[in-house]
Amino acid sequence: MNVHDLTGRTALVTGGASGLGAGMAQALADAGAAVAIADLQAEAGKATADAITEAGGTARFVSLDVVDDAAWESAISQTVSELGGLDIVVNNAGVEISGLVVDLDPDDVRRMLEVNVLGTALGLKHAFRAMRPEGVAGNGGAVVNISSVAATIAFPAISGYSATKSAVERLTKVAAAESGKLGYGVRVNCVYPGLVPTRMGMRLAQDMADIGLWPSPEAAVGDVIGLTPLGRLGEVADMADAVVFLASDAARFVTGAGLPVDGGMGM
């Protein structure tokens, strides 16, 4: 038996239009899952869904603003009706806004709190409602929340991001405990990705240089690599494979856990 085989299951990936989310969606589809690409970026989301379909998978674009409770209800309903169920939710959507504590902008912090914390919390809420025995899908399943190595280390100029990604870890554990206690049949885990050279990752490196903490983005990246025992940046596939593992039967007795996929940076 292939314990990583997700054939017959349906996944919803937030922030699935691009970057890590698109890679995770593709990996889930490659493992056999039908995938809902949930995002606000309609054009990019449809392109990602089309690419998965052209590669032999099954995917649909679903419009979703993760901070909108009603939008979650609609996205879940559409996913179940068009793809036949819901077994996996990946709460990947997130924003990172750099800045020193001494220059903290309340609006920037509120934005990260809304997307990274509230967005993940609403994803858990609606995943549970759909997957628990009396839900519209009703077969249990798995939720994978995307935290960050920023939740495990002290890196300058990302205090708000670090705080919100630490909150994702706590949400994961409490939700896992509730699901188990209440018999929902839903496992909940999180991943701590290291720095990946996506658009968001490279913008972070540029921010470090703009703030003056490093002389250049390349110097910032070099120091991150120097802090990483495996000696390289992460790749989208590294993170995507971890999500597939946690969503699959290979992780059937794993819940409330946080999996670092950071090359050892957060040790």
Side-chain angles (χ1 to χ4, degrees):
M1 180 180 70
N2 179 2
V3 291
H4 295 99
D5 185 4
L6 300 176
T7 301
R9 301 183 201 184
T10 298
L12 181 149
V13 181
T14 70
S18 60
L20 288 183
M24 292 167 184
Q26 182 66 66
L28 289 163
D30 289 344
V35 184
I37 309 297
D39 209 302
L40 278 173
Q41 302 178 70
E43 187 174 341
K46 289 173 183 175
T48 297
D50 288 345
I52 289 172
T53 302
E54 289 166 11
T58 300
R60 299 284 189 278
F61 170 72
V62 175
S63 180
L64 175 63
D65 180 351
V66 295
V67 306
D68 185 330
D69 203 32
W72 267 105
E73 290 186 8
S74 176
I76 294 287
S77 176
Q78 183 181 347
T79 299
V80 172
S81 64
E82 293 187 11
L83 294 176
L86 185 67
D87 309 279
I88 300 159
V89 170
V90 181
N91 287 309
N92 163 75
V95 295
E96 188 281 319
I97 306 172
S98 304
L100 298 172
V101 172
V102 73
D103 297 322
L104 186 145
D105 184 327
D107 289 336
D108 288 345
V109 176
R110 288 190 190 98
R111 178 62 179 158
M112 287 186 282
L113 285 167
E114 282 211 341
V115 177
N116 301 351
V117 182
L118 178 59
T120 299
L122 288 175
L124 285 160
K125 170 186 174 177
H126 290 283
F128 281 179
R129 289 190 170 195
M131 294 180 189
R132 63 187 177 179
E134 65 271 31
V136 292
N139 293 317
V143 176
V144 183
N145 297 324
I146 307 305
S147 179
S148 170
V149 68
T152 68
I153 63 172
F155 199 81
I158 56 170
S159 60
Y161 184 69
S162 295
T164 59
K165 288 300 186 176
S166 296
V168 169
E169 175 195 48
R170 291 292 99 191
L171 280 169
T172 297
K173 292 183 181 296
V174 172
E178 288 187 8
S179 176
K181 281 271 188 195
L182 297 171
Y184 292 167
V186 181
R187 296 182 297 103
V188 186
N189 295 289
C190 72
V191 174
Y192 309 105
L195 183 65
V196 180
T198 58
R199 183 174 60 180
M200 179 186 285
M202 291 302 91
R203 188 178 67 243
L204 173 62
Q206 182 64 57
D207 288 345
M208 296 303 103
D210 292 344
I211 291 168
L213 291 166
W214 276 269
S216 67
E218 293 76 18
V221 169
D223 277 0
V224 167
I225 293 172
L227 291 169
T228 305
L230 290 187
R232 66 171 175 86
L233 295 180
E235 298 175 357
V236 172
D238 298 327
M239 313 308 152
D241 288 348
V243 167
V244 170
F245 163 68
L246 289 172
S248 75
D249 290 342
R252 58 192 173 273
F253 200 52
V254 180
T255 194
L259 178 60
V261 189
D262 59 6
M265 185 181 181
M267 284 197 294

